[in-house]
Amino acid sequence: MSDVLSFPKTPEGAVDLLSMTPSELEAFVLSLGEPRYRAEQLFIWMHRGTEFSEMNNLPKAFREKIAAAAEYRLPKIEQKFVSAKDGTIKYLFALPDGECVESVFMRYEHGNTICVSSQAGCRMGCRFCASTLTGRVRNLCASEILGQVIVASRDTGERIGGVVMMGIGEPLDNYDNAVRFLHLVSEEKGLGIGLRHISVSSCGLADGIRRLAGENLPVTLSLSLHATTDEKRSALMPVNKRYPLREVLGACRYYFEKTGRRVSFEYTLIAGQNDTKEEAEALAKLLRREVGSVVHVNLIMLNEVKETGLKTTSRQSAEQFRDTLTRLGVTATIRRRLGSDIDASCGQLRLRRLEAAEQREP
């Protein structure tokens, strides 16, 4: 009989069914004295977001036994905003312990993509980001990350073909759960989202990037860069004091060499700080020197957060920045701003909810 202690757990310590891989779920089902094939049936139902009561090919006695021995739960939709401009949907999900995280469902010509959160809050301290203003409360378990995809797909009635781990939290600061999520979300008998359609964003945890390169997971690595010198980047992103530019860009180069997957560099344009033609020239020089020619820069118009005091650049400046990079041989695009009428950047809904809760306290 399998040792129950070896199975993944919820934050409260219960056995977590949705965090289990197919082989773990099989071992768990066998440990309860049930036939092996029940595990595959259960796995398929859970990844569709189906409640126990609706799993109609599973005996009632089996469902009751499983429910008594372990937890199967999904995030609840606390708030939902739909863009009248492009159909983008922003979700505020409530977790069982009362914490909330955000996800954004985006429609593209090539299919639907969801941006998911990996932590409740964030401890990285990036100056331009709402997610980090209240710090990190806890990591999300793999089922809580996966649940965002399942619930959004079930709510919209549409297949999700891509995932961006760029919501609340730093995925590589929650490494084990993030990697477990990647295995689960790509399972053919589950959601079956191809790993090549998944992007993992990091603010620059160099050791985590190198570790991820050895996982044999062909995901795209996206590095949040945002500055061209250690002095400027450290002022915007405290993580740079621990992992300076040369170290983190070296890790990105290693990731490309190890996986063959091009690294994408996220560069948020902030008025008066990093949006000039001279900064674009410095960025092109830095990337060519430290990473090589196979790079892509994704330029982002800052989504303003009133608490930071930072302002976004003009469209003209963004286009000049892009054109300068292109002229210097660096592929660059300006990210299309989906959901602009619903404030679709992550972290702000959670922040407002926390502020409202504080105001209600006596």
Side-chain angles (χ1 to χ4, degrees), residues 17 25 29 34-46 50-67 72:
L17 288 173
L25 191 58
V29 165
E34 297 290 338
R36 188 185 307 272
Y37 67 88
R38 293 293 184 206
E40 181 176 322
Q41 294 173 316
L42 182 59
F43 186 89
I44 292 171
W45 280 123
M46 290 193 301
T50 309
E51 299 293 338
F52 279 136
S53 61
E54 299 173 356
M55 299 179 183
N56 51 33
N57 66 342
L58 296 177
K60 183 178 179 181
F62 172 78
R63 285 178 273 158
E64 290 176 347
K65 183 185 289 187
I66 287 287
Y72 163 54

Side-chain angles (χ1 to χ4, degrees), residues 90-323:
K90 185 168 186 178
Y91 293 100
L92 181 69
F93 286 120
L95 304 178
D97 65 351
E99 285 299 324
C100 281
V101 295
E102 297 173 32
S103 300
V104 181
F105 175 92
M106 298 164 284
R107 291 184 172 92
Y108 295 97
E109 290 183 4
H110 58 269
N112 301 319
T113 293
I114 187 168
C115 178
V116 297
S117 297
S118 57
Q119 296 176 310
C122 182
R123 62 175 178 172
M124 296 296 111
C126 299
R127 277 192 58 213
F128 48 82
C129 183
S131 300
T132 196
L133 290 174
T134 56
R136 184 191 67 177
V137 177
R138 67 171 176 85
N139 289 331
L140 301 192
C141 54
S143 64
E144 291 173 323
I145 308 173
L146 181 66
Q148 298 167 58
V149 188
I150 293 172
V151 174
S153 181
R154 190 173 174 89
D155 179 62
T156 60
E158 299 181 38
R159 170 172 167 74
I160 293 174
V163 177
V164 181
M165 298 190 76
M166 200 181 291
I168 296 173
E170 161 61 54
L172 300 185
D173 190 38
N174 185 17
Y175 187 89
D176 291 339
N177 285 311
V179 169
R180 178 176 283 271
F181 161 74
L182 293 172
H183 284 288
L184 289 171
V185 78
S186 58
E187 275 289 341
E188 289 185 8
K189 293 175 183 176
L191 296 176
I193 298 176
L195 289 167
R196 293 181 181 274
H197 300 291
I198 298 176
S199 178
V200 177
S201 177
S202 175
C203 66
L205 302 186
D207 52 354
I209 291 172
R210 290 178 177 274
R211 188 178 173 192
L212 185 64
E215 295 284 356
N216 196 30
L217 296 169
V219 297
T220 297
L221 172 67
S222 295
L223 179 75
S224 296
L225 188 55
H226 313 311
T228 58
T229 68
D230 281 322
E231 181 181 8
K232 292 177 181 178
R233 191 165 189 265
S234 293
L236 282 175
M237 307 175 70
V239 69
N240 194 74
K241 297 173 184 177
R242 181 177 178 187
Y243 299 108
L245 279 169
R246 175 159 289 185
E247 184 174 355
V248 74
L249 293 177
C252 291
R253 183 175 63 249
Y254 174 81
Y255 188 88
F256 169 71
E257 292 169 349
K258 182 80 172 177
T259 67
R261 299 285 291 163
R262 183 180 67 174
V263 178
S264 176
F265 293 90
E266 308 289 332
Y267 195 95
T268 297
L269 293 164
I270 304 171
Q273 295 206 25
N274 65 357
D275 62 339
T276 65
K277 177 175 176 287
E278 290 73 24
E279 286 293 320
E281 292 171 345
L283 178 59
K285 182 178 179 180
L286 174 70
L287 292 177
R288 286 201 310 267
R289 183 182 73 237
E290 300 294 342
V291 184
S293 59
V294 189
V295 297
H296 177 264
V297 175
N298 193 9
L299 298 172
I300 303 167
M301 305 286 285
L302 175 71
N303 194 300
E304 295 177 6
V305 178
K306 67 178 183 179
E307 289 84 356
T308 69
L310 300 175
K311 301 295 182 182
T312 191
T313 194
S314 67
R315 183 72 189 187
Q316 182 180 0
S317 294
E319 291 174 353
Q320 181 187 54
F321 200 100
R322 177 201 59 198
D323 294 345

